[in-house]
Amino acid sequence: MARNRNRIYRILEFVRSRVWISLFASLLSLSACEHQSAASREGTASSRAAPNEGGADTPVLVELYTSQGCSSCPPADDLLHELVRDRRGTPLVPLVFHVDYWDTLGWPDPFSDPRWTTRQLHRARATGRSNIYTPQLLFDGEDHRVGTQRSRARAALRSESAVPPAVDLRVTIEQGRDSIHVFTHPRWRDAAERSSLTIMVAITDSGHHTEILGGENAGLTWAGDYVVRDMDRACTFSPEQDTADCDVTLSLGAIDDPQTMQIVAFAQDARWRIVGLATR
């Protein structure tokens, strides 16, 4: 009987110790999450100037990651077009990236590009996320998880537009027959908190129509604008520099209608926040 009682006590002590270990691990986990959240907030503040005092709207870069093979993507495409057409709303500059991970599911998107999937993956990792999805809308690099809710999208735009850019960008171009040479000239604003930046340049065109013959959207006619056809890095811009001269050559081979072409240059920090923007 005594032997059985001792065995029970040992079992109870073992269970009690495991409970305390589990609770301690949970507290450590919560502490780590709070630390990561604080670090994320600090990262978000990096390279951002103080809010606009006069209430002026700063144009917002809106990135849409989408696919013709994704059944939930057409409403996001429609939302983006509506936001662009809203002349009373926040000014925005759209970039539409067609990813390729839907291409094997019944319909190969003719505008998909593995580079845009890679960009989406890299952005997710830079912000501590392990997954990507479509449709995804980013406002100046921030994922507000608006889905296709118009009120939330407009609120996100107003929030991002209230913060002035940390960098002023000037863009000039030299256009050839098959390519375009883009010169960008970033300059830090006086009040900006400086950090290492990447200056990116993208080229888009609009007016596309595709009859989708397979996959989740079979039978639909897709109308697409602001489709990214090429993009590359112009330079890196360090905190020690006051200004810089950057350049990059982009291909015009995929441009269907040169009249709809737009050049978009933007400054991106280490957490993929957009802190400067210019179009041509």
Side-chain angles (χ1 to χ4, degrees):
M1 179 70 69
R3 185 180 304 168
N4 289 338
R5 190 160 43 245
N6 289 336
R7 184 178 303 163
I8 292 171
Y9 286 154
R10 285 198 298 272
I11 292 172
L12 289 173
E13 286 298 322
F14 175 78
V15 170
R16 186 184 303 167
S17 68
R18 298 299 294 178
V19 169
W20 278 110
I21 290 171
S22 177
L23 287 172
F24 184 65
S26 298
L27 288 171
L28 284 177
S29 176
L30 285 172
S31 177
C33 288
E34 290 173 359
H35 178 73
Q36 183 177 10
S37 176
S40 298
R41 288 193 296 270
E42 290 173 3
T44 299
S46 176
S47 301
R48 302 287 279 181
N52 284 322
E53 294 181 358
D57 285 335
T58 298
V60 175
L61 183 72
V62 179
E63 300 172 65
L64 171 61
Y65 291 86
T66 187
S67 171
Q68 290 183 0
C70 157
S71 62
S72 57
C73 287
D77 296 331
D78 293 342
L79 171 60
L80 179 61
H81 282 86
E82 181 179 314
L83 294 173
V84 173
R85 290 193 301 265
D86 186 2
R87 299 303 178 187
R88 295 172 299 173
T90 301
L92 59 90
V93 176
L95 293 178
V96 178
F97 295 95
H98 285 245
V99 297
D100 69 342
Y101 47 85
W102 284 89
D103 286 2
T104 59
L105 300 176
W107 179 251
D109 188 331
F111 299 98
S112 67
D113 194 312
R115 291 179 296 169
W116 314 150
T117 301
T118 300
R119 174 174 173 81
Q120 193 183 22
L121 279 168
H122 286 173
R123 185 263 168 200
R125 291 169 183 163
T127 56
R129 299 189 180 276
S130 59
N131 64 315
I132 57 176
Y133 65 96
T134 57
Q136 182 182 30
L137 278 163
L138 301 178
F139 300 85
D140 274 348
E142 280 290 321
D143 188 350
H144 291 260
R145 301 291 174 131
V146 302
T148 56
Q149 298 183 35
R150 282 152 175 77
S151 60
R152 292 183 64 181
R154 290 191 175 94
L157 281 171
R158 287 194 299 270
S159 173
E160 296 300 333
S161 186
V163 182
V167 171
D168 289 321
L169 277 177
R170 185 165 53 89
V171 176
T172 57
I173 62 173
E174 290 180 1
Q175 185 169 339
R177 185 184 350 182
D178 301 318
S179 63
I180 185 166
H181 203 67
V182 183
F183 302 88
T184 64
H185 310 279
R187 179 184 298 276
W188 286 105
R189 287 192 167 193
D190 292 339
E193 181 180 348
R194 300 188 180 192
S195 68
S196 294
L197 303 179
T198 301
I199 308 301
M200 302 292 298
V201 181
I203 184 170
T204 71
D205 67 353
S206 299
H208 302 286
H209 292 84
T210 305
E211 293 183 9
I212 301 176
L213 304 178
E216 294 185 353
N217 291 323
L220 296 181
T221 298
W222 176 85
D225 296 316
Y226 325 110
V227 179
V228 179
R229 312 312 300 272
D230 197 14
M231 185 171 72
D232 207 348
R233 182 179 66 178
C235 70
T236 56
F237 188 37
S238 73
E240 292 75 25
Q241 296 173 278
D242 291 324
T243 187
D245 295 315
C246 313
D247 65 287
V248 66
T249 300
L250 299 179
S251 173
L252 296 177
I255 298 296
D256 292 332
D257 184 358
Q259 298 300 317
T260 67
M261 184 176 70
Q262 186 173 40
I263 304 296
V264 179
F266 56 95
Q268 170 184 292
D269 70 14
R271 288 188 55 79
W272 293 57
R273 288 283 307 183
I274 309 304
V275 298
L277 180 63
T279 61
R280 181 61 188 263

